[in-house]
Amino acid sequence: MNTLKQGRKLGNTDIEITPVGIGVMQFAGGKGMFRFMFDDFPQTQKDAIIKAGLDGGINWFDTAEMYGQGRSEQGLSNALKNNQVADEDVRIATKWWPLLRTARNIPKTIDDRLHYLQGYTIDLYQVHQPFSFSTPEDEMNAMADLVEAGKIRSVGISNFSAKDMHRAHQALVKRGLGLASNQVQFSLIDRQIETNGILDAAKELGVTIIAWSPLASGLLTGKFHKNPDILAKTPLGRRMRLSNQLKKTQPLIDAMDEIAQKYGVSITQVALNWTVNFHGETVVAIPGASKVHHAQEAAGVLDFRLTDEEMAKLDRLSQMYR
């Protein structure tokens, strides 16, 4: 059986990451805007989540300034320290929040990111959103300064259009670098990057696409299809959004269920496997994890690879989402 244990290069850098990482937004501690999204949970649980991911072969984690103003970053670094993980054995991606700021804020706040990460290297530093008071060129120049200063290893963006990807990449090329990644929403039922130019730009420029929400808020796990009672217990807004998708996605879930039984894996793992393989090595994914079994499931994706025929079948069943 083909597996995904071998890492992939992050963009055109020499940084190697596994096709699946883990997003730790849930480590934000139930603070700020996240008090409405996630409950806090103890550091011991965070430790166990990170250990499960690492034990399963995952080598990188994605966090951000915005996730609790440093709480997610610190929860991650605490977990790495508590598990005695050496800096060279892990890769960390984090993000700068641009709203109501200019590029001049990037060098002013990098020491905060490093403080919360407690000595762990920032392998990828990303501009979290495409809106600020500065141009992409100014932001990339500020990021390039950090690379030259040895404070970060590579530069990425998040939720940027194809046009702004090109602008960011060209600005970095002028500094002897290149754009490493664009973190965008992508899954079997969120496929707009295939038609809006973002995926084409990534392939042209050698940029890695980091797929956030690769399980579509849990819809692609199949749990709501198999047990409607779970849906009834979710918050109203999310419940209404998911309810509208259940019937439409049932054929896709059924097909993934059949494939999952063949491999002895879960529907979740089939969905993630398609996401990180359908476009070759261009796309990696960062499912979130608030429980140990989430990290174990994510790591299990590295143990098998869907056939081209299986991926084509799921592609046909999800064409309406392009």
Side-chain angles (χ1 to χ4, degrees), residues 92-196:
I92 293 177
T94 191
K95 310 178 195 76
W96 169 73
W97 184 249
L99 183 62
L100 302 178
R101 288 171 163 177
T102 70
R104 286 184 301 225
N105 180 263
I106 292 174
K108 291 179 180 177
T109 53
I110 189 61
D111 288 339
D112 292 335
R113 312 277 61 76
L114 293 168
H115 166 75
Y116 288 118
L117 290 171
Q118 303 182 80
Y120 285 98
T121 298
I122 297 175
D123 297 283
L124 174 66
Y125 200 31
Q126 304 153 94
V127 177
H128 203 150
Q129 293 287 350
F131 43 74
S132 81
F133 291 136
S134 295
T135 65
E137 289 81 4
D138 287 343
E139 291 173 341
M140 294 304 101
N141 277 314
M143 288 286 196
D145 288 344
L146 297 184
V147 174
E148 291 177 1
K151 294 194 172 184
I152 65 174
R153 292 183 65 193
S154 68
V155 181
I157 53 180
S158 182
N159 303 308
F160 275 49
S161 68
K163 177 182 177 181
D164 285 343
M165 284 177 69
H166 279 277
R167 291 177 63 181
H169 180 72
Q170 290 307 316
L172 288 168
V173 166
K174 291 178 180 178
R175 298 291 299 271
L177 301 168
L179 184 65
S181 63
N182 189 7
Q183 186 173 141
V184 293
Q185 189 168 13
F186 179 63
S187 72
L188 272 162
I189 63 168
D190 291 291
R191 301 184 59 177
Q192 294 182 35
I193 66 167
E194 295 173 327
T195 55
N196 64 12

Side-chain angles (χ1 to χ4, degrees), residues 176-290:
L177 301 168
L179 184 65
S181 63
N182 189 7
Q183 186 173 141
V184 293
Q185 189 168 13
F186 179 63
S187 72
L188 272 162
I189 63 168
D190 291 291
R191 301 184 59 177
Q192 294 182 35
I193 66 167
E194 295 173 327
T195 55
N196 64 12
I198 289 176
L199 184 63
D200 289 339
K203 291 181 177 181
E204 175 190 346
L205 302 174
V207 171
T208 295
I209 292 292
I210 301 175
W212 61 263
S213 195
L215 296 171
S217 298
L219 187 66
L220 290 174
T221 68
K223 64 182 180 181
F224 298 114
H225 298 77
K226 292 189 172 186
N227 188 355
D229 290 342
I230 298 177
L231 185 63
K233 298 175 183 177
T234 61
L236 179 61
R238 185 181 180 203
R239 182 165 72 244
M240 291 176 63
R241 186 173 69 255
L242 292 172
S243 295
N244 292 335
Q245 294 277 11
L246 283 179
K247 185 175 181 180
K248 188 188 299 187
T249 54
Q250 189 67 59
L252 177 61
I253 296 297
D254 290 342
M256 289 198 292
D257 195 14
E258 182 179 340
I259 294 170
Q261 291 181 45
K262 169 187 169 183
Y263 289 98
V265 299
S266 66
I267 293 173
T268 295
Q269 290 169 315
V270 171
L272 289 172
N273 204 283
W274 181 92
T275 299
V276 301
N277 282 308
F278 186 66
H279 291 291
E281 297 195 351
T282 299
V283 179
V284 298
I286 47 165
S290 57

